[in-house]
Short mmCIF file of all heavy atoms in Angstrom, two decimals:
data_model
loop_
_atom_site.label_atom_id
_atom_site.label_comp_id
_atom_site.label_asym_id
_atom_site.label_seq_id
_atom_site.Cartn_x
_atom_site.Cartn_y
_atom_site.Cartn_z
N ALA Q 162 16.24 10.15 10.07
CA ALA Q 162 15.80 9.88 8.56
C ALA Q 162 14.46 9.15 8.63
O ALA Q 162 14.48 8.02 9.08
CB ALA Q 162 16.94 9.20 7.81
N ASP Q 163 13.47 9.76 8.11
CA ASP Q 163 12.13 9.07 7.85
C ASP Q 163 11.95 8.55 6.49
O ASP Q 163 12.46 9.05 5.54
CB ASP Q 163 11.00 10.06 8.27
CG ASP Q 163 9.79 9.34 8.73
OD1 ASP Q 163 9.74 8.11 8.62
OD2 ASP Q 163 8.73 9.99 8.90
N ASP Q 164 11.16 7.52 6.28
CA ASP Q 164 10.94 6.84 5.03
C ASP Q 164 12.15 6.72 4.26
O ASP Q 164 12.32 7.12 3.13
CB ASP Q 164 9.93 7.83 4.27
CG ASP Q 164 8.57 7.76 4.79
OD1 ASP Q 164 8.12 6.66 5.07
OD2 ASP Q 164 7.80 8.88 4.84
N LEU Q 165 12.96 5.76 4.83
CA LEU Q 165 14.26 5.38 4.10
C LEU Q 165 13.97 4.75 2.79
O LEU Q 165 14.74 4.83 1.92
CB LEU Q 165 14.97 4.41 5.03
CG LEU Q 165 15.88 4.94 6.14
CD1 LEU Q 165 16.67 3.72 6.72
CD2 LEU Q 165 16.72 6.08 5.79
N GLN Q 166 12.75 4.12 2.63
CA GLN Q 166 12.52 3.50 1.35
C GLN Q 166 12.38 4.43 0.25
O GLN Q 166 12.56 4.13 -0.98
CB GLN Q 166 11.25 2.64 1.46
CG GLN Q 166 9.98 3.45 1.41
CD GLN Q 166 9.60 3.98 2.78
OE1 GLN Q 166 10.31 3.76 3.73
NE2 GLN Q 166 8.34 4.72 2.90
N TRP Q 167 12.23 5.75 0.46
CA TRP Q 167 12.13 6.75 -0.58
C TRP Q 167 13.43 7.54 -0.82
O TRP Q 167 13.47 8.50 -1.47
CB TRP Q 167 11.02 7.74 -0.34
CG TRP Q 167 9.61 7.15 -0.20
CD1 TRP Q 167 8.69 7.40 0.79
CD2 TRP Q 167 9.05 6.07 -1.12
NE1 TRP Q 167 7.56 6.68 0.50
CE2 TRP Q 167 7.68 5.84 -0.55
CE3 TRP Q 167 9.46 5.40 -2.25
CZ2 TRP Q 167 6.84 4.91 -1.22
CZ3 TRP Q 167 8.56 4.45 -2.74
CH2 TRP Q 167 7.36 4.23 -2.20
N LEU Q 168 14.42 7.27 0.12
CA LEU Q 168 15.71 7.88 -0.20
C LEU Q 168 16.20 7.74 -1.62
O LEU Q 168 16.14 6.67 -2.15
CB LEU Q 168 16.77 7.39 0.87
CG LEU Q 168 17.27 8.40 1.87
CD1 LEU Q 168 16.05 8.73 2.83
CD2 LEU Q 168 18.38 7.69 2.69
N ASP Q 169 16.67 8.78 -2.20
CA ASP Q 169 17.30 8.67 -3.54
C ASP Q 169 18.46 7.74 -3.34
O ASP Q 169 19.17 7.79 -2.38
CB ASP Q 169 17.64 10.03 -4.14
CG ASP Q 169 18.75 10.75 -3.26
OD1 ASP Q 169 18.40 11.40 -2.28
OD2 ASP Q 169 19.97 10.57 -3.55
N PRO Q 170 18.66 6.88 -4.42
CA PRO Q 170 19.73 5.90 -4.37
C PRO Q 170 21.17 6.50 -4.08
O PRO Q 170 21.94 5.88 -3.33
CB PRO Q 170 19.66 5.21 -5.73
CG PRO Q 170 18.33 5.43 -6.21
CD PRO Q 170 17.94 6.79 -5.63
N ALA Q 171 21.43 7.73 -4.55
CA ALA Q 171 22.71 8.39 -4.33
C ALA Q 171 23.00 8.60 -2.86
O ALA Q 171 23.92 8.30 -2.31
CB ALA Q 171 22.81 9.56 -5.27
N SER Q 172 22.00 9.18 -2.22
CA SER Q 172 22.05 9.57 -0.79
C SER Q 172 22.12 8.34 0.06
O SER Q 172 22.90 8.27 1.05
CB SER Q 172 20.87 10.45 -0.45
OG SER Q 172 20.87 11.77 -1.07
N ALA Q 173 21.34 7.38 -0.35
CA ALA Q 173 21.28 6.17 0.42
C ALA Q 173 22.66 5.48 0.44
O ALA Q 173 23.13 4.98 1.51
CB ALA Q 173 20.19 5.16 -0.03
N GLU Q 174 23.27 5.45 -0.80
CA GLU Q 174 24.58 4.70 -0.85
C GLU Q 174 25.51 5.50 0.02
O GLU Q 174 26.44 4.96 0.69
CB GLU Q 174 25.01 4.73 -2.45
CG GLU Q 174 26.08 3.73 -2.61
CD GLU Q 174 27.49 4.12 -2.24
OE1 GLU Q 174 27.72 5.56 -2.31
OE2 GLU Q 174 28.34 3.29 -2.03
#
Side-chain angles (χ1 to χ4, degrees):
D163 199 2
D164 282 320
L165 280 186
Q166 73 278 1
W167 302 135
L168 245 63
D169 63 274
S172 296
E174 200 278 337

